[in-house]
Amino acid sequence: MASQEVGNAEPGTASAGGPPARQAEPEVVNSVYQRNDELQNHQKEKLQALGAVQILNGATVLVLGIFLASLQNIFHPFSQFFFISYTAYPLWGPIFFIVSGSLSVAAGRKPTRTLVQNAFGMCIASSAVALVGFVFLSVNLAVNKHSFKNCESSQSQDLCVYVGIFSNGLMSLMLILTLLELCISTSVSVMWCIESSCNSIEVGLFP
């Protein structure tokens, strides 16, 4: 009798009081998908926020660059304080930052393959541009230290000192924003790598 009862037991049941094995597997898969969706949504929100900061950062550097070029035209005799203007970094550098941030925001909202690849490439390019800008600004600040000595032989010594101090202030602000852009671009690049790795693993595990 006992053997007949065991034989008549349904194949989908595991043990008395236990959930069926076929019902447990979809629940595990659904929980994994739900947890992965929550992580991806949080990741997308972070990418959009960082992209917005990149756009704001690039716009600020661009405004400072235009203001710096205007000062160079006004105080042309003290052009040694505006070495960065000859490199044109305050103009082409922020363009990279704004485009990179815009692509990150767009890819965060609608993560298509093309947008993700373009955003990842622009983030790497923005990191390289920010590093170059950091070198240019550091060199300009170092040159300004020596340029202050030339103010002693200038006819308008006080004006020369004021222009140098003002130039150092703008350069320092741009240097801070450039370092911020370097950190953000590097972080976004790493996040895009993680996002791509997670998507590839998900496709491999749950085709």
Side-chain angles (χ1 to χ4, degrees):
M1 294 295 291
S3 61
Q4 291 179 356
E5 290 177 358
V6 173
N8 292 332
E10 295 181 358
T13 59
S15 59
R22 293 181 180 178
Q23 294 179 1
E25 291 179 0
E27 291 179 358
V28 172
V29 173
N30 290 333
S31 64
V32 171
Y33 270 121
Q34 184 177 3
R35 195 175 305 167
N36 192 31
D37 289 340
E38 292 177 356
L39 291 175
Q40 286 186 351
N41 291 332
H42 181 64
Q43 193 88 340
K44 291 175 184 177
E45 292 175 358
K46 289 171 64 176
L47 288 170
Q48 292 180 28
L50 291 175
V53 174
Q54 279 183 295
I55 296 173
L56 182 61
N57 192 22
T60 305
V61 175
L62 183 61
V63 171
L64 291 175
I66 295 173
F67 185 60
L68 199 66
S70 302
L71 286 178
Q72 184 184 11
N73 292 329
I74 296 173
F75 303 104
H76 187 69
F78 310 109
S79 59
Q80 68 269 15
F81 291 109
F82 304 99
F83 162 77
I84 194 68
S85 297
Y86 296 104
T87 64
Y89 165 74
L91 299 179
W92 54 264
I95 294 176
F96 276 89
F97 304 157
I98 294 173
V99 173
S100 177
S102 301
L103 287 175
S104 295
V105 172
R109 292 180 178 177
K110 189 178 180 181
T112 61
R113 184 180 182 84
T114 303
L115 278 177
V116 170
Q117 290 178 348
N118 292 335
F120 178 66
M122 280 303 301
C123 283
I124 295 177
S126 294
S127 300
V129 169
L131 184 60
V132 172
F134 173 76
V135 173
F136 284 161
L137 290 168
S138 300
V139 171
N140 199 159
L141 289 173
V143 169
N144 284 358
K145 290 183 179 180
H146 296 283
S147 298
F148 274 110
K149 298 178 181 179
N150 297 330
C151 291
E152 298 177 358
S153 59
S154 177
Q155 295 179 354
S156 51
Q157 182 176 355
D158 294 337
L159 182 60
C160 180
V161 173
Y162 290 146
V163 171
I165 293 174
F166 199 71
S167 174
N168 279 348
L170 289 176
M171 297 296 171
S172 300
L173 183 57
M174 292 178 66
L175 184 66
I176 294 172
L177 293 174
T178 300
L179 282 176
L180 177 63
E181 177 63 30
L182 178 61
C183 295
I184 292 176
S185 299
T186 306
S187 301
V188 173
S189 300
V190 173
M191 291 174 68
W192 279 126
C193 285
I194 295 174
E195 183 77 13
S196 301
S197 300
C198 290
N199 289 336
S200 62
I201 292 173
E202 178 185 352
V203 171
L205 291 178
F206 307 107

